[in-house]
Amino acid sequence: MSKSSLETAAAMLRSKVGAVRRQSIGKVDPVWARRFALATGETDLIYFDPELAVSIGWRDSPLPPLMLSSTRTWDDGPTNEGLAEDGTPLNDVGFPTGSSLRSLGGGQSLNWIEDVLIGDEISTTSKVVGVSEKSANSGDILMVEIERRFYGTNGQLLLTCNEKRLLR
């Protein structure tokens, strides 16, 4: 990737810093929550047996811990034309539209405020909070900092996710 392409992408992303994107997730289907739990190696039965979860004090089965922060889109998802070469949705927050940059996760920091349960109405906000250019041994990269917040049925904050995305 040329230096000018990175600079163009950085300028585009900087122009979006602070712009909040809102999305209603709704209720996560229990089947999808269980599939995610299986795929991520969860073995605790509270993710698979709501009666057990309730019997030990939960209102319902909780969502697997990383389900909200790792899901990129909650709708049907884009067609191939809507995906970057590496599979990143081109309309994802923190991804420069029209660029051929590749995306790599740079880490997440999660702050759980309340339990997130199957049956909860969930909504989310996301925004770019910072963009910086870095030089690495393998070339220049953009580091994009993104804040995602997840809210419950009554608008209460459930979870914050601060993540870094590396673009090259």
Side-chain angles (χ1 to χ4, degrees), residues 1 79-90 95-96 98-103 168:
M1 183 61 46
T79 62
N80 282 343
E81 293 77 30
L83 296 172
E85 192 174 305
D86 64 0
T88 302
L90 294 174
F95 192 82
S99 78
S100 58
L101 295 175
R102 292 180 180 235
S103 178
R168 167 173 306 232

Side-chain angles (χ1 to χ4, degrees), residues 112-146:
W112 292 91
I113 291 103
E114 287 194 27
D115 297 324
V116 184
L117 306 175
I118 290 173
D120 287 348
E121 287 284 338
I122 302 169
S123 63
T124 184
T125 61
S126 54
K127 65 182 176 180
V128 174
V129 295
V131 179
S132 56
E133 298 173 61
K134 306 280 184 191
S135 291
N137 289 341
S138 58
D140 294 331
I141 59 172
L142 287 181
M143 185 168 63
V144 183
E145 297 173 73
I146 300 164

Side-chain angles (χ1 to χ4, degrees), residues 121 123 150-158:
E121 287 284 338
S123 63
F150 297 89
Y151 300 90
T153 302
N154 298 314
Q156 75 278 22
L157 183 60
L158 302 171

Side-chain angles (χ1 to χ4, degrees), residues 2-80:
S2 72
K3 183 94 168 150
S4 64
S5 296
L6 280 175
E7 290 169 349
T8 300
M12 178 188 298
L13 290 168
R14 283 189 183 108
S15 74
K16 296 179 180 185
V17 167
V20 177
R21 180 186 295 179
R22 298 177 195 291
Q23 182 179 14
S24 174
I25 296 170
K27 294 179 183 180
V28 175
D29 187 302
V31 171
W32 289 108
R34 288 192 295 272
R35 287 179 179 171
F36 189 92
L38 285 169
T40 56
E42 291 292 346
T43 58
D44 193 326
L45 294 179
I46 62 172
Y47 299 110
F48 306 99
D49 185 346
E51 290 177 6
L52 172 67
V54 169
S55 76
I56 60 173
W58 297 86
R59 279 187 293 115
D60 203 334
S61 287
L63 291 182
L66 297 177
M67 186 170 189
L68 292 177
S69 65
S70 63
T71 302
R72 303 303 340 138
T73 183
W74 292 94
D75 54 20
D76 292 339
T79 62
N80 282 343

